[in-house]
Structures are given as structure tokens and as C-alpha cells.
Amino acid sequence: MEGMKNIMTKAKCSFIFIATFVLLSSALSLANAKTHNHEFVVEATPVKRLCKTHNTITVNGQYPGPTLEINNGDSLVIKVTNKARYNVTIHWHGVRQVRTGWADGPEFITQCPIRPGGSYTYRFTVEGQEGTLWWHAHSSWLRATVYGALIIRPREGETYPFPKPNRETPILLGEWWDRNPIDVVRQAQRTGAAPNVSDAYTINGQPGDLYNCSTKGTTIVPIRYGETNLIRVINAALNQPLFFKIANHKLTVVGADASYLKPFTTNVLMLGPGQTTDVLITANQPISRYYIAASAYQSAQNAAFDNTTTTAILQYYNSTKTKPIMPSLPSFNDTNTVTKFSKRFKSLKKVEVSNVIDENLLFTIGLGLQGCPKNFRERRCQGPNGSRLTASMNNVSFTLPNNLSILQAHYFGIPGVFTTDFPAKPPVNFNYTGNVSRPLWQPVPGTKVYKLKFGSRVQIVLQDTSIVTGENHPTHLHGYDFYIVAQGFGNFDPKKDSAKFNLVDPPKRNTVAVPVNGWSVIRFVADNPGAWIMHCHLDVHINWGLATVLLVENGVGKLQSIEPPPADLPRC
């Protein structure tokens, strides 16, 4: 009996010691957390690409914009001053914004835009996220040139779950138009047709050797033989999923969207716009120069796209000025490579995915055609068969408010800005990826949101449709990470496909590439109150209405409620 008492006393002491250690470690992490202050000035800057100089909208005169580097647990305070001639907002892509929805950034969703001459300070903390995110404009097509990397390292005193690399390099993949991107989208809005495709892709703002007048500025990534480089790849392109390769070098994938993954080795990546992928490369090839290259993955049939290739150079120290070795990139329509690649993503550790679902939602996503309105002339209806191109979720083509943001209307109880009747499933059940009858091609416009109770366990099936054409849709949810528990082709069948669910180690993402003529199933807990837009990250599709808003209600008490709006929130 006495022995048992001693054992119990020792166990109690051990528990108290461990609990104290955990509390002290946590307090130390909080004490080490920093606040980073930055100023972003949005302004027109002369930028020369493809032989021509354009007055390009930039941040602080830089294209791409500044790289932000922080540690997990740090806070950011960023004053954005708009000296451009367009309205602007900035979105911190992938940052959870727990209770700080006012800092999320999408125009007329969480704030009214920063008008020319105005300013707004974004304040938020990044907690529980490590890896690569990014920031970009979330107003019209300004994100074509207004974007930059957001690098989140482990807390001070903590390490990566892989050997520390010798160096790190952010690689931002972008798109360049040889004219003002705002003029490109405005022309498309006037005509109802698809916008003109880009003239080049870029790596860190430079098109590379394969384009006119571009060799001089080609991005160089230096490396020494034997070194390991952590390359943080970000697809910041406006409208194009991209393949990515480095000649003769294997890529070990270790993270995506600021979440760690079980490492796997590949020779090619595919990133939809909005997605990030962290890879390790080892400089184990003969000392030379190797092209880093990216080109289009185009899944929509008969749709125009930019079929060019951007390059940078991985340059070994002491290499001669020889012509770099070029990688062999997949064909533009190589969906098999995309499928094999995406199937390899698994979370680093076992994760908790709820088996109980409170909200079981099915959202169709895809294109549509709007009949030419009677008061429009022919030149305003240049889509297929004299129509105007459109897009929708569950047959609702999302329309942005223009006089108040949805979050403000929700917070202050102002009626008339949105309705809460977004459907939980398509209004009509049909063969989503088959031959769809024409009456289903025209969606209904509306500013409809879907309400979620705080803490509800949510499953959303994102189902592509073949209306106009099937396409791989990179779908981004603001304010949340989610688990991708399954993906497949054809129409989702809950009886048959539920058996494929990975509820053990599914990847955690903020943007899911929904397969062409296929589906993805995502799960998350609605524990972040606010108005969170879910949209296709092909910006042409947002303009056409491929979006909705999940309105998550407050829970109980202050810590489950959205913070009050800041005093300098832009007025409408």
C-alpha cells in the first residue's frame, strides 16, 4: 500500500513537472513573439518587360512586391497607402485571420476598398501556421502585379521537421500582359467574351530567356555543389495552373499552403493559382547551369491559353557561362500527371478529422452562358452563340455588393446587402459531368451567402460541371484551412466514394485544385466567425461569379466572436 502511495506521489509530481514545463514553454513562445511593422505604398511604377515599358501598379515600386518574413506566432501591422488611380485591397492569402476578418482583404466581402489617396492598416497574428503563404491585391485584376511572398518560419527555438537547408529561395510564378491588365478585364466585361490571354509567364517577375528582350533580367538562383535549398514555390499567376520543373534535379515536397507534408520525391509540380509548395533540392549534379521552368496546365477544352514557357537559372558556383540544360515539361493537357502528383499529398502526422458531420454540402462549380439582354447591342454579347460568359456555384452567379461589405452588413445588422438563401445543394439534380441540357447553362445572379453555426462540422463536396467546358478549378476558402479527404472524376457518388475517404492523414490546404470533370471533398470545423468568401482562384472566373460566402456566426463569449471593426476601416 505504501509502495502504491509512493508511485502515485511520483506520478503526480511528474504530471505537475510536465504541465509546468509545457506552460513555461508556451509562455516563452508568446514572450518571443514579435510584431512586424511595414508600410506598403501602392503606386504606378515604370516596368519594362517584353521590350515595352508600362506604368505598372506595384507595392513600394517593386515587382513582385516585398517578401514578408515572420515566425509562427508573430503579428503583422501593415499600413497600406493607395497612391494608384484604382481602388485597392490586400489579401493575406492563407492566413486564418482568427476573429480578425476585418484584415482579410477581399473587396466588398470584409471591407470596402481603399480609395485613391486613402490608407488602411491591416493588423493580424499568424498562429499555428508554418511554411509559405503569400499576399496579393483582391480588387479587380490588380493582383496581376500586386503580390509577394509571406514566409512563416517555426517559432524561435523550434526547427523544421526536416534537416535545415543551407539556403532558402522564394519562387513566385506570375503572368504578364503586354498591356494594362485592368484594360484587359474591362474589355472582357464590355464584350461578354473571355479576356485576352497573357503574353508571358514570369519567375520572380522576369519572363526569362525564351521571350524577346528578356535574357538580361532572367532570375538566377545560385547554389553550391552539395548544398540543399528549400525552394518555396508560389503560383501567383492570375488565370493559369502551372507545371514546374528544374532540369535534372529531384524535388522533395515537404509542405504546401503553410502545412507540413509527408516528404515525397518528384520531378514535376503542378500548382493551381493560389497554391504554394515547399520543396528541397540537393545540388548533386555536375557543376553547370540548369533551367527552372514553368508552363501551362490547361484542362479546359478549346479554350485559348498562353502556351509559353518561363525560365530562371539554377546556377552552380564556378559553372561556366554555358547554355543552361532545359527540362522536359509535361504536355499542357497532361491530367494524368496532375492526378498522380496530387494523390501523393498526405499530412506529416495523423490528424483529427471528424466522423460526425453537421453540414453536408454539395456545391457545383463551373461556367455558364447568359443570354444576350434585350437592351444590349451585339458587340456586348461576344460569347459563344451571341451570349455572355458567366460562372456559378449551385447555379448562383455571385454578385459583389457595391455600397457596403458583407461583413459590415452582418456585424451591424444592416439589411438589403445580401441574402442567406444560398442553396446547400444544386437546385436541380443532373448529370454534372455529362451532356447538360441548355436550360441549366444560365445561372441566376445574386449576393447569396450560406450561414454556418459556430463549431459546426462541415463537409463540402465541390463538383465540377461540364457546362460550356469542364475545367480544373483551384478553389480557395478564406479564413480556414481544410482537409482534402478525397478526390475523383465523374459525378460524386456518396455511397461508393465515401469508402475512398482518407480520415487518417489527409493534406491540409487553403486552396484545392478540383479535378476537371471531377470532384473534391473537403472537411473543416467552422470555428472562425466572419464572412469568408470561397471562390475559384482563376480571376476570370471570380469576375464571372464563381464564388459564394460562408457566413460563420459568433459562438459564446468574446473568444468565439469576431473583434469589433478597426477605426480606420475604409468607408464606402
Side-chain angles (χ1 to χ4, degrees), residues 92-277:
W92 317 94
H93 184 111
V95 174
R96 288 232 27 217
Q97 299 291 1
V98 177
R99 300 180 54 236
T100 53
W102 307 107
D104 190 43
E107 182 179 63
F108 292 115
I109 304 296
T110 60
Q111 68 169 98
C112 293
I114 307 167
R115 308 284 181 190
S119 66
Y120 177 47
T121 300
Y122 293 89
R123 302 168 190 272
F124 55 92
T125 298
V126 177
E127 185 66 52
Q129 296 181 284
E130 291 178 16
T132 308
L133 297 177
W134 61 300
W135 58 265
H136 60 79
H138 213 297
S139 184
S140 185
W141 271 23
L142 288 180
R143 90 165 174 87
T145 54
V146 177
Y147 62 85
L150 171 53
I151 293 168
I152 311 160
R153 296 197 172 85
R155 298 179 196 276
E156 282 192 22
E158 296 183 9
T159 59
Y160 295 125
F162 45 81
K164 188 180 178 185
N166 300 95
R167 58 178 77 215
E168 300 184 13
T169 306
I171 294 279
L172 293 107
L173 309 176
E175 272 184 285
W176 179 264
W177 276 261
D178 206 11
R179 56 184 291 206
N180 182 349
I182 303 296
D183 293 343
V184 174
V185 68
R186 285 179 177 173
Q187 180 188 9
Q189 286 165 340
R190 280 194 302 273
T191 64
N196 290 339
V197 300
S198 56
D199 297 286
Y201 300 116
T202 58
I203 294 177
N204 291 355
Q206 295 290 345
D209 292 353
L210 306 184
Y211 298 90
N212 290 338
C213 309
S214 299
T215 301
K216 203 173 175 183
T218 297
T219 297
I220 304 289
V221 177
I223 198 165
R224 292 183 189 278
Y225 184 85
E227 281 185 342
T228 299
N229 192 344
L230 173 59
I231 296 186
R232 302 171 178 274
V233 189
I234 300 164
N235 187 351
L238 207 68
N239 293 316
Q240 193 63 56
L242 293 166
F243 288 116
F244 176 90
K245 283 187 88 169
I246 301 177
N248 294 8
H249 287 74
K250 295 282 187 188
L251 311 170
T252 300
V253 177
V254 293
D257 292 2
S259 290
Y260 293 121
L261 297 167
K262 285 186 173 70
F264 67 90
T265 301
T266 178
N267 62 9
V268 64
L269 310 179
M270 195 292 285
L271 299 92
Q275 293 186 317
T276 75
T277 307

Side-chain angles (χ1 to χ4, degrees), residues 215-515:
T215 301
K216 203 173 175 183
T218 297
T219 297
I220 304 289
V221 177
I223 198 165
R224 292 183 189 278
Y225 184 85
E227 281 185 342
T228 299
N229 192 344
L230 173 59
I231 296 186
R232 302 171 178 274
V233 189
I234 300 164
N235 187 351
L238 207 68
N239 293 316
Q240 193 63 56
L242 293 166
F243 288 116
F244 176 90
K245 283 187 88 169
I246 301 177
N248 294 8
H249 287 74
K250 295 282 187 188
L251 311 170
T252 300
V253 177
V254 293
D257 292 2
S259 290
Y260 293 121
L261 297 167
K262 285 186 173 70
F264 67 90
T265 301
T266 178
N267 62 9
V268 64
L269 310 179
M270 195 292 285
L271 299 92
Q275 293 186 317
T276 75
T277 307
D278 292 346
V279 299
L280 294 169
I281 66 156
T282 301
N284 57 8
Q285 295 300 302
I287 290 173
S288 189
R289 303 191 324 145
Y290 300 85
Y291 273 130
I292 300 167
S295 63
Y297 166 51
Q298 178 66 11
S299 57
Q301 290 191 348
N302 305 316
F305 70 101
D306 177 353
N307 196 13
T308 62
T309 301
T310 180
T311 57
I313 298 170
L314 181 71
Q315 184 165 290
Y316 280 63
Y317 279 88
N318 300 321
S319 60
T320 55
K321 207 79 165 150
T322 53
K323 189 177 179 187
I325 296 159
M326 188 73 186
S328 171
L329 285 152
S331 301
F332 71 85
N333 58 354
D334 190 350
T335 294
N336 282 341
T337 290
V338 174
T339 306
K340 284 176 190 167
F341 175 65
S342 62
K343 278 183 175 174
R344 300 183 72 186
F345 280 61
K346 292 185 185 348
S347 283
L348 181 61
K349 296 173 182 173
K350 187 178 177 182
V351 298
E352 284 186 31
V353 185
S354 178
N355 268 317
V356 180
I357 299 299
D358 304 307
E359 294 276 2
N360 197 354
L361 309 174
L362 171 61
F363 291 177
T364 54
I365 55 175
L367 306 184
L369 297 178
Q370 179 193 1
C372 193
K374 288 179 181 175
N375 59 334
F376 277 29
R377 294 184 179 180
E378 276 184 27
R379 66 171 180 264
R380 296 207 60 195
C381 298
Q382 294 181 36
N385 304 316
S387 67
R388 290 177 62 83
L389 282 159
T390 183
S392 69
M393 283 189 173
N394 278 358
N395 204 46
V396 179
S397 186
F398 188 78
T399 308
L400 282 172
N402 58 17
N403 58 354
L404 197 66
S405 77
I406 287 174
L407 185 56
Q408 285 169 290
H410 167 63
Y411 187 86
F412 292 109
I414 298 168
V417 176
F418 63 87
T419 59
T420 56
D421 54 345
F422 185 85
K425 59 183 182 181
V428 178
N429 189 22
F430 61 98
N431 180 4
Y432 307 118
T433 53
N435 194 3
V436 182
S437 65
R438 286 287 169 148
L440 292 170
W441 285 41
Q442 179 152 330
V444 178
T447 310
K448 297 174 186 281
V449 310
Y450 191 85
K451 267 187 152 176
L452 291 169
K453 283 195 167 70
F454 185 93
S456 55
R457 294 154 293 190
V458 183
Q459 174 175 293
I460 305 178
V461 177
L462 295 163
Q463 172 72 60
D464 185 31
T465 76
S466 58
I467 297 172
V468 182
T469 178
E471 189 165 3
N472 184 294
H473 293 280
T475 304
H476 174 47
L477 174 59
H478 289 224
Y480 285 89
D481 287 323
F482 48 74
Y483 292 110
I484 305 171
V485 299
Q487 292 187 292
F489 291 99
N491 300 334
F492 176 74
D493 180 339
K495 288 178 185 170
K496 185 180 71 179
D497 293 325
S498 297
K500 301 172 188 170
F501 285 7
N502 174 8
L503 303 179
V504 177
D505 57 359
K508 189 199 280 189
R509 304 295 301 256
N510 62 57
T511 305
V512 54
V514 179

